[in-house]
Amino acid sequence: MVDKVFQVAIHDLRRKGPGDFETILGKAQLKVSATVIRVVNELYSLYANKASKAHGRFSEDVENYPAQTYISDFQKDEYKGFADLTKKLMATLTTQARRKAGATGGHVLFAHIERDASVYLMVAIINDKLGALLTNDLDIADVQHLDLDGFRFAGRVNITAWLEDADRYIGFLKGKGDVAEYFKEFLGCDTTVQDLQDTKTLIQALEKFADPARGVVKDKHEFLQRAYEICERHVRDGAPLDFETFANELYPDKPDELAKALGDPDLALGDGFVPNRRSLRALVRFKAKTSVWSVEFDRAALASGKIVYDPDKKTITLKELPDELVEELERERERE
């Protein structure tokens, strides 16, 4: 859910023929009615719940990817000129659609919104769907309505994070293949993959999902061990992760819940990367070091009781010490 809907406009991207599109401008700005707010909230929630997203930042090539210039002017003008912004963005979207095979048209919704004290520009392409309506005289008639569930292209720019020079502040649905490329290029998004950071974020998301306090995962150790095995296989094969496939394999009982957690747009975590092997070990191994000692052990040691953690005393007890270590400790004790 969004906290506030400031401005909304809807224009049309219409296909004229193979590889040719035109822009049909709608109202400069829609009245922010209860219906408009409901549609924006539903689109935002649907976008947030989809797992397969890509994230990045604006390309430095402002000449070929001018969206950032338009959004910057919009922000500097204290978010006035929304009609001019959406008109210019529609021209950019039309240009990119003409360049990409497989691009489709539709109703293009622009929403200037706020969520969690951050200002966003959200864009979604929606199509119509044929439905049925029961008339006053109890007859059935055809009716066209927005197919919110079936939208394929959507993205958002976190303007607040952009101004704070965050690493990633643009997100968009990846879709299958390269069909969504024109939408990425319309936003001018550079999706440079950062396998190391993405792997760390993935681990944090999995640990949060498996937290016993949530009561979702029955066995946290088994869940994370299985996650490690799947990711390790992707490392060996050099195969990028697909979150929907990953969720189906790791959590087949309720894969949609896991996919939703991994696709949380606030994580700015996109799939399509090969996990970093070194970082991946954090899923199954604990490691710590001070100036006088260091310790490293697998999560399986906790699960089997060979290592016991006391949360009250903040201590760990090691069991089944190897004979060599026992002998060394005994000799040291005798010297005291």
Side-chain angles (χ1 to χ4, degrees), residues 7-44:
Q7 303 176 84
V8 178
I10 297 180
H11 306 303
D12 268 7
L13 177 67
R14 294 185 185 175
R15 180 187 289 276
K16 295 173 61 178
D20 193 13
F21 293 84
E22 65 176 342
T23 296
I24 306 297
L25 296 178
K27 294 181 179 180
Q29 191 170 324
L30 300 181
K31 179 182 178 181
V32 183
S33 63
T35 300
V36 168
I37 292 173
R38 179 181 63 79
V39 168
V40 170
N41 270 305
E42 187 168 348
L43 281 174
Y44 188 93

Short mmCIF file of all heavy atoms in Angstrom, two decimals, residues 7-44:
data_model
loop_
_atom_site.label_atom_id
_atom_site.label_comp_id
_atom_site.label_asym_id
_atom_site.label_seq_id
_atom_site.Cartn_x
_atom_site.Cartn_y
_atom_site.Cartn_z
N GLN A 7 -0.36 12.56 -7.81
CA GLN A 7 -0.77 12.89 -9.18
C GLN A 7 -0.80 11.61 -10.02
O GLN A 7 0.06 10.74 -9.87
CB GLN A 7 0.21 13.88 -9.81
CG GLN A 7 0.36 15.18 -9.02
CD GLN A 7 1.40 16.11 -9.60
OE1 GLN A 7 1.12 16.88 -10.51
NE2 GLN A 7 2.62 16.03 -9.08
N VAL A 8 -1.79 11.52 -10.90
CA VAL A 8 -1.95 10.34 -11.76
C VAL A 8 -2.37 10.79 -13.15
O VAL A 8 -3.18 11.72 -13.29
CB VAL A 8 -3.00 9.36 -11.19
CG1 VAL A 8 -3.18 8.17 -12.12
CG2 VAL A 8 -2.59 8.89 -9.79
N ALA A 9 -1.82 10.14 -14.15
CA ALA A 9 -2.24 10.38 -15.54
C ALA A 9 -2.20 9.06 -16.29
O ALA A 9 -1.40 8.18 -15.97
CB ALA A 9 -1.33 11.41 -16.21
N ILE A 10 -3.07 8.94 -17.29
CA ILE A 10 -3.08 7.74 -18.14
C ILE A 10 -3.09 8.18 -19.60
O ILE A 10 -3.93 8.98 -20.02
CB ILE A 10 -4.31 6.85 -17.86
CG1 ILE A 10 -4.28 6.33 -16.42
CG2 ILE A 10 -4.33 5.67 -18.84
CD1 ILE A 10 -5.46 5.43 -16.06
N HIS A 11 -2.13 7.66 -20.37
CA HIS A 11 -2.05 7.90 -21.81
C HIS A 11 -2.05 6.55 -22.51
O HIS A 11 -1.95 5.50 -21.86
CB HIS A 11 -0.80 8.70 -22.15
CG HIS A 11 -0.65 9.97 -21.38
ND1 HIS A 11 -1.62 10.95 -21.38
CD2 HIS A 11 0.34 10.42 -20.55
CE1 HIS A 11 -1.23 11.97 -20.61
NE2 HIS A 11 -0.05 11.66 -20.09
N ASP A 12 -2.14 6.57 -23.81
CA ASP A 12 -2.17 5.33 -24.59
C ASP A 12 -0.94 5.21 -25.49
O ASP A 12 -0.53 6.19 -26.14
CB ASP A 12 -3.42 5.27 -25.46
CG ASP A 12 -4.57 4.55 -24.76
OD1 ASP A 12 -4.42 4.24 -23.57
OD2 ASP A 12 -5.61 4.33 -25.41
N LEU A 13 -0.36 4.01 -25.51
CA LEU A 13 0.67 3.65 -26.46
C LEU A 13 0.02 2.66 -27.44
O LEU A 13 -0.25 1.52 -27.06
CB LEU A 13 1.86 2.99 -25.75
CG LEU A 13 3.01 2.50 -26.64
CD1 LEU A 13 3.71 3.68 -27.30
CD2 LEU A 13 4.02 1.68 -25.83
N ARG A 14 -0.25 3.12 -28.66
CA ARG A 14 -1.02 2.30 -29.59
C ARG A 14 -0.15 1.83 -30.74
O ARG A 14 0.63 2.58 -31.32
CB ARG A 14 -2.20 3.10 -30.14
CG ARG A 14 -3.24 3.45 -29.09
CD ARG A 14 -4.45 4.13 -29.70
NE ARG A 14 -5.38 4.57 -28.66
CZ ARG A 14 -6.48 5.28 -28.91
NH1 ARG A 14 -6.79 5.63 -30.16
NH2 ARG A 14 -7.27 5.64 -27.91
N ARG A 15 -0.34 0.55 -31.07
CA ARG A 15 0.38 -0.04 -32.20
C ARG A 15 -0.33 0.35 -33.51
O ARG A 15 -1.53 0.10 -33.69
CB ARG A 15 0.42 -1.56 -32.07
CG ARG A 15 1.16 -2.26 -33.20
CD ARG A 15 1.01 -3.76 -33.07
NE ARG A 15 1.77 -4.29 -31.96
CZ ARG A 15 3.06 -4.60 -32.02
NH1 ARG A 15 3.73 -4.43 -33.15
NH2 ARG A 15 3.68 -5.10 -30.97
N LYS A 16 0.43 0.94 -34.43
CA LYS A 16 -0.11 1.32 -35.73
C LYS A 16 0.14 0.23 -36.77
O LYS A 16 -0.59 0.08 -37.74
CB LYS A 16 0.53 2.63 -36.21
CG LYS A 16 0.19 3.82 -35.33
CD LYS A 16 0.98 5.04 -35.74
CE LYS A 16 0.68 5.47 -37.16
NZ LYS A 16 1.43 6.69 -37.54
N GLY A 17 1.22 -0.52 -36.54
CA GLY A 17 1.62 -1.57 -37.47
C GLY A 17 2.86 -2.23 -36.93
O GLY A 17 3.33 -1.91 -35.83
N PRO A 18 3.45 -3.18 -37.67
CA PRO A 18 4.66 -3.85 -37.20
C PRO A 18 5.77 -2.84 -36.89
O PRO A 18 6.22 -2.09 -37.76
CB PRO A 18 5.04 -4.75 -38.38
CG PRO A 18 3.76 -4.96 -39.13
CD PRO A 18 2.99 -3.69 -38.98
N GLY A 19 6.18 -2.82 -35.63
CA GLY A 19 7.27 -1.94 -35.22
C GLY A 19 6.92 -0.47 -35.19
O GLY A 19 7.81 0.38 -35.07
N ASP A 20 5.65 -0.13 -35.29
CA ASP A 20 5.27 1.28 -35.30
C ASP A 20 4.22 1.55 -34.23
O ASP A 20 3.25 0.80 -34.09
CB ASP A 20 4.71 1.67 -36.68
CG ASP A 20 4.59 3.18 -36.83
OD1 ASP A 20 5.16 3.91 -36.00
OD2 ASP A 20 3.92 3.62 -37.79
N PHE A 21 4.44 2.60 -33.47
CA PHE A 21 3.54 2.97 -32.38
C PHE A 21 3.25 4.46 -32.43
O PHE A 21 4.02 5.25 -33.00
CB PHE A 21 4.17 2.64 -31.01
CG PHE A 21 4.33 1.17 -30.75
CD1 PHE A 21 5.43 0.47 -31.23
CD2 PHE A 21 3.38 0.48 -30.01
CE1 PHE A 21 5.58 -0.88 -30.98
CE2 PHE A 21 3.52 -0.87 -29.75
CZ PHE A 21 4.63 -1.55 -30.25
N GLU A 22 2.17 4.85 -31.80
CA GLU A 22 1.84 6.27 -31.67
C GLU A 22 1.38 6.54 -30.25
O GLU A 22 0.93 5.63 -29.52
CB GLU A 22 0.76 6.67 -32.66
CG GLU A 22 -0.59 6.01 -32.42
CD GLU A 22 -1.65 6.52 -33.38
OE1 GLU A 22 -1.44 7.59 -33.98
OE2 GLU A 22 -2.70 5.85 -33.53
N THR A 23 1.49 7.79 -29.85
CA THR A 23 1.06 8.21 -28.51
C THR A 23 -0.28 8.92 -28.59
O THR A 23 -0.46 9.83 -29.40
CB THR A 23 2.11 9.18 -27.90
OG1 THR A 23 3.34 8.48 -27.72
CG2 THR A 23 1.63 9.69 -26.55
N ILE A 24 -1.21 8.50 -27.76
CA ILE A 24 -2.50 9.18 -27.62
C ILE A 24 -2.56 9.71 -26.19
O ILE A 24 -2.63 8.93 -25.23
CB ILE A 24 -3.69 8.23 -27.88
CG1 ILE A 24 -3.53 7.54 -29.24
CG2 ILE A 24 -4.99 8.99 -27.79
CD1 ILE A 24 -3.55 8.47 -30.42
N LEU A 25 -2.51 11.03 -26.05
CA LEU A 25 -2.47 11.62 -24.72
C LEU A 25 -3.87 11.68 -24.11
O LEU A 25 -4.84 12.07 -24.77
CB LEU A 25 -1.87 13.02 -24.77
CG LEU A 25 -0.40 13.11 -25.21
CD1 LEU A 25 0.03 14.58 -25.27
CD2 LEU A 25 0.49 12.33 -24.27
N GLY A 26 -3.96 11.31 -22.85
CA GLY A 26 -5.20 11.41 -22.11
C GLY A 26 -5.26 12.74 -21.37
O GLY A 26 -4.63 13.72 -21.78
N LYS A 27 -5.99 12.77 -20.27
CA LYS A 27 -6.08 13.99 -19.47
C LYS A 27 -4.72 14.33 -18.88
O LYS A 27 -3.92 13.45 -18.56
CB LYS A 27 -7.10 13.81 -18.34
CG LYS A 27 -8.53 13.65 -18.82
CD LYS A 27 -9.47 13.50 -17.63
CE LYS A 27 -10.92 13.36 -18.09
NZ LYS A 27 -11.86 13.20 -16.96
N ALA A 28 -4.47 15.63 -18.73
CA ALA A 28 -3.19 16.06 -18.16
C ALA A 28 -2.99 15.47 -16.77
O ALA A 28 -1.88 15.11 -16.37
CB ALA A 28 -3.12 17.58 -18.10
N GLN A 29 -4.09 15.34 -16.06
CA GLN A 29 -4.03 14.79 -14.71
C GLN A 29 -5.40 14.32 -14.29
O GLN A 29 -6.40 15.01 -14.49
CB GLN A 29 -3.51 15.85 -13.73
CG GLN A 29 -3.17 15.32 -12.35
CD GLN A 29 -2.44 16.38 -11.52
OE1 GLN A 29 -1.66 17.15 -12.04
NE2 GLN A 29 -2.72 16.40 -10.23
N LEU A 30 -5.49 13.12 -13.72
CA LEU A 30 -6.76 12.60 -13.25
C LEU A 30 -7.07 13.11 -11.85
O LEU A 30 -6.16 13.40 -11.06
CB LEU A 30 -6.72 11.06 -13.21
CG LEU A 30 -6.45 10.32 -14.52
CD1 LEU A 30 -6.47 8.82 -14.28
CD2 LEU A 30 -7.47 10.69 -15.59
N LYS A 31 -8.34 13.23 -11.56
CA LYS A 31 -8.74 13.56 -10.19
C LYS A 31 -8.39 12.37 -9.30
O LYS A 31 -8.69 11.23 -9.63
CB LYS A 31 -10.24 13.83 -10.13
CG LYS A 31 -10.74 14.16 -8.74
CD LYS A 31 -12.24 14.36 -8.72
CE LYS A 31 -12.74 14.65 -7.31
NZ LYS A 31 -14.22 14.83 -7.27
N VAL A 32 -7.73 12.65 -8.19
CA VAL A 32 -7.29 11.57 -7.30
C VAL A 32 -8.50 11.14 -6.46
O VAL A 32 -8.64 11.50 -5.28
CB VAL A 32 -6.12 12.01 -6.41
CG1 VAL A 32 -5.64 10.84 -5.55
CG2 VAL A 32 -4.96 12.52 -7.26
N SER A 33 -9.34 10.36 -7.10
CA SER A 33 -10.56 9.86 -6.45
C SER A 33 -10.27 8.58 -5.69
O SER A 33 -9.16 8.01 -5.77
CB SER A 33 -11.63 9.60 -7.51
OG SER A 33 -11.19 8.57 -8.39
N ALA A 34 -11.28 8.09 -4.99
CA ALA A 34 -11.13 6.83 -4.26
C ALA A 34 -10.83 5.69 -5.22
O ALA A 34 -10.05 4.79 -4.92
CB ALA A 34 -12.40 6.55 -3.47
N THR A 35 -11.42 5.73 -6.41
CA THR A 35 -11.19 4.68 -7.40
C THR A 35 -9.76 4.72 -7.91
O THR A 35 -9.10 3.69 -8.05
CB THR A 35 -12.17 4.83 -8.59
OG1 THR A 35 -13.50 4.73 -8.11
CG2 THR A 35 -11.93 3.73 -9.62
N VAL A 36 -9.28 5.93 -8.21
CA VAL A 36 -7.90 6.08 -8.68
C VAL A 36 -6.92 5.59 -7.62
O VAL A 36 -5.96 4.87 -7.92
CB VAL A 36 -7.62 7.55 -9.05
CG1 VAL A 36 -6.11 7.77 -9.27
CG2 VAL A 36 -8.38 7.93 -10.31
N ILE A 37 -7.16 5.95 -6.38
CA ILE A 37 -6.27 5.50 -5.29
C ILE A 37 -6.30 3.98 -5.17
O ILE A 37 -5.26 3.35 -4.98
CB ILE A 37 -6.71 6.16 -3.96
CG1 ILE A 37 -6.44 7.66 -4.01
CG2 ILE A 37 -5.97 5.52 -2.78
CD1 ILE A 37 -6.98 8.43 -2.80
N ARG A 38 -7.49 3.39 -5.31
CA ARG A 38 -7.60 1.92 -5.23
C ARG A 38 -6.82 1.25 -6.35
O ARG A 38 -6.10 0.27 -6.11
CB ARG A 38 -9.07 1.50 -5.30
CG ARG A 38 -9.27 -0.02 -5.24
CD ARG A 38 -10.73 -0.39 -5.32
NE ARG A 38 -11.34 0.00 -6.58
CZ ARG A 38 -11.21 -0.68 -7.72
NH1 ARG A 38 -10.44 -1.75 -7.76
NH2 ARG A 38 -11.81 -0.26 -8.81
N VAL A 39 -6.92 1.80 -7.56
CA VAL A 39 -6.19 1.22 -8.70
C VAL A 39 -4.69 1.33 -8.50
O VAL A 39 -3.94 0.38 -8.72
CB VAL A 39 -6.62 1.90 -10.02
CG1 VAL A 39 -5.67 1.51 -11.16
CG2 VAL A 39 -8.05 1.53 -10.37
N VAL A 40 -4.22 2.49 -8.06
CA VAL A 40 -2.78 2.69 -7.82
C VAL A 40 -2.29 1.74 -6.74
O VAL A 40 -1.23 1.11 -6.87
CB VAL A 40 -2.48 4.16 -7.44
CG1 VAL A 40 -1.04 4.30 -6.96
CG2 VAL A 40 -2.74 5.08 -8.63
N ASN A 41 -3.04 1.61 -5.66
CA ASN A 41 -2.65 0.70 -4.58
C ASN A 41 -2.59 -0.74 -5.05
O ASN A 41 -1.68 -1.50 -4.69
CB ASN A 41 -3.62 0.82 -3.40
CG ASN A 41 -3.19 1.87 -2.40
OD1 ASN A 41 -2.09 1.83 -1.89
ND2 ASN A 41 -4.06 2.83 -2.13
N GLU A 42 -3.58 -1.13 -5.85
CA GLU A 42 -3.60 -2.51 -6.33
C GLU A 42 -2.43 -2.78 -7.27
O GLU A 42 -1.78 -3.82 -7.18
CB GLU A 42 -4.92 -2.80 -7.05
CG GLU A 42 -5.09 -4.27 -7.42
CD GLU A 42 -6.49 -4.62 -7.87
OE1 GLU A 42 -7.41 -3.78 -7.69
OE2 GLU A 42 -6.67 -5.73 -8.41
N LEU A 43 -2.14 -1.83 -8.15
CA LEU A 43 -1.00 -2.00 -9.06
C LEU A 43 0.31 -2.07 -8.29
O LEU A 43 1.19 -2.88 -8.60
CB LEU A 43 -0.95 -0.83 -10.05
CG LEU A 43 -1.90 -0.90 -11.24
CD1 LEU A 43 -1.83 0.39 -12.04
CD2 LEU A 43 -1.57 -2.10 -12.13
N TYR A 44 0.44 -1.21 -7.26
CA TYR A 44 1.66 -1.22 -6.46
C TYR A 44 1.84 -2.56 -5.76
O TYR A 44 2.93 -3.13 -5.74
CB TYR A 44 1.66 -0.09 -5.44
CG TYR A 44 2.98 0.06 -4.73
CD1 TYR A 44 3.95 0.94 -5.20
CD2 TYR A 44 3.29 -0.69 -3.60
CE1 TYR A 44 5.18 1.06 -4.58
CE2 TYR A 44 4.52 -0.58 -2.97
CZ TYR A 44 5.45 0.30 -3.47
OH TYR A 44 6.67 0.40 -2.85
#
